[in-house]
Amino acid sequence: MSAPSVITIDGPAGAGKSTLGELLARRLGYLFFDTGVMYRALAWAVLRSAIDPENSEAVAALARDLDIQVLPPGDATDGRPYTVLVDGVDVTWELRRPDVERIVSIAARHPAARAIMRERQRAIGRRGQVVMVGRDIGSIVMPDAPLKIYLDASIDERARRRTLEIQQRGGSADLQHIRNDIIRRDSLDRHVSAPAADACVIFSDGLSPEQVVDLVIAHIDDGDGLQDSHAYDRAQNPGSAGT
Ligand code: DC
């Protein structure tokens, strides 16, 4: 089977979406597009302009005028998967700053700002040969995408991975603090985080990034091996009358 032209990967913070997206895109020769960086860029601009991240009109106006470019890493030797320019300024690493992290879910919550971001994401998705990573890509941004993955993992596993990731970048990270932050972000992001009805679900506890990629590639080749999201909904909410 030939690879689907658009693959979406959604799921909660720290589930390993970006790692899977990067590896998958590399294997398929596709563009890797992490839509979270657009919301992070917006949050960075909110801080730069000193506007209130809760102010939906001000955040939407900012989003409308913001020039966000996500480019290949080029000659950069600092391990970046891409370069992000906001109004021409290289903010690639600044988007990982704790102050950006603190407000990004708030800045990303406003429907008008989201509509602007989604339209820009769609324009990139429509070009095809792309792996798009986010929260609402399969459900809302690209609902016709031929392959939708929903990647999940337990809170403990996600906290452990995030801690390791920060430490590997030379930062200091406290596991309990990161765990609490993941719980906080889960509740803030919940409004956009439901899996698409036809998403394939991967629960990645105990799986290495390569094993997850192999699962997806096997699914592309054979068309099986992954759980459908209805089964997942029922597993997560055993009391619900899911169909
Ligand atoms: O995946 P991430 O941690 O880089 O995402 C940053 C924030 O943006 C997070 O609060 C969720 C939000 N986000 C979103 O609302 N919709 C997306 N498609 C991607 C990210």
Side-chain angles (χ1 to χ4, degrees):
M1 181 180 163
S2 66
S5 66
V6 178
I7 300 174
T8 65
I9 304 173
D10 294 299
K17 304 184 297 292
S18 297
T19 307
L20 171 62
E22 257 188 277
L23 291 172
L24 200 54
R26 203 175 305 147
R27 284 238 207 142
L28 298 172
Y30 279 18
L31 174 74
F32 165 57
F33 178 28
D34 177 3
T35 62
V37 302
M38 294 186 69
Y39 292 101
R40 286 172 181 267
L42 180 61
W44 180 88
V46 163
L47 291 171
R48 180 186 61 175
S49 319
I51 63 170
D52 178 0
E54 304 268 5
N55 183 332
S56 57
E57 275 176 31
V59 174
L62 190 64
R64 205 167 295 123
D65 293 337
L66 208 57
D67 177 24
I68 304 171
Q69 292 189 49
V70 185
L71 308 168
D75 296 334
T77 54
D78 53 8
R80 59 179 63 195
Y82 38 67
T83 291
V84 186
L85 303 181
V86 174
D87 293 338
V89 181
D90 183 345
V91 297
T92 310
W93 290 119
E94 292 197 24
L95 299 186
R96 305 289 148 186
R97 265 179 6 204
D99 54 346
V100 170
E101 197 110 312
R102 210 171 302 123
I103 68 155
V104 64
S105 305
I106 303 166
R109 203 164 55 193
H110 309 296
R114 293 194 71 82
I116 293 160
M117 293 295 167
R118 283 170 171 160
E119 209 33 64
R120 294 185 192 173
Q121 292 160 10
R122 238 167 244 137
I124 294 169
R126 279 197 205 107
R127 294 185 209 148
Q129 302 226 311
V130 60
V131 178
M132 293 178 74
V133 169
R135 300 289 190 289
D136 55 351
I137 308 303
S139 56
I140 296 174
V141 177
M142 302 295 291
D144 297 329
L147 178 57
K148 300 170 189 165
I149 308 285
Y150 188 84
L151 188 62
D152 205 350
S154 67
I155 287 176
D156 286 332
E157 177 73 11
R158 291 190 279 141
R160 200 185 59 74
R161 288 181 193 161
R162 262 283 146 94
T163 306
L164 209 65
E165 190 186 307
I166 294 169
Q167 288 169 344
Q168 278 167 351
R169 281 207 303 263
S172 67
D174 173 64
L175 181 67
Q176 193 54 40
H177 177 80
I178 289 179
R179 191 178 187 282
N180 290 340
D181 193 56
I182 284 181
I183 292 170
R184 180 187 72 90
R185 288 182 54 192
D186 277 2
S187 79
L188 286 169
D189 295 339
R190 188 169 298 138
H191 66 116
V192 287
S193 296
D198 54 348
C200 300
V201 176
I202 303 175
F203 195 76
S204 67
D205 278 33
L207 295 175
S208 70
E210 287 73 21
Q211 285 174 316
V212 178
V213 179
D214 287 344
L215 265 180
V216 176
I217 296 284
H219 178 74
I220 291 171
D221 288 342
D222 309 337
D224 61 17
L226 299 180
Q227 201 182 11
D228 72 84
S229 69
H230 287 292
Y232 175 79
D233 287 345
R234 283 195 298 277
Q236 298 294 302
N237 305 293
S240 80
T243 53

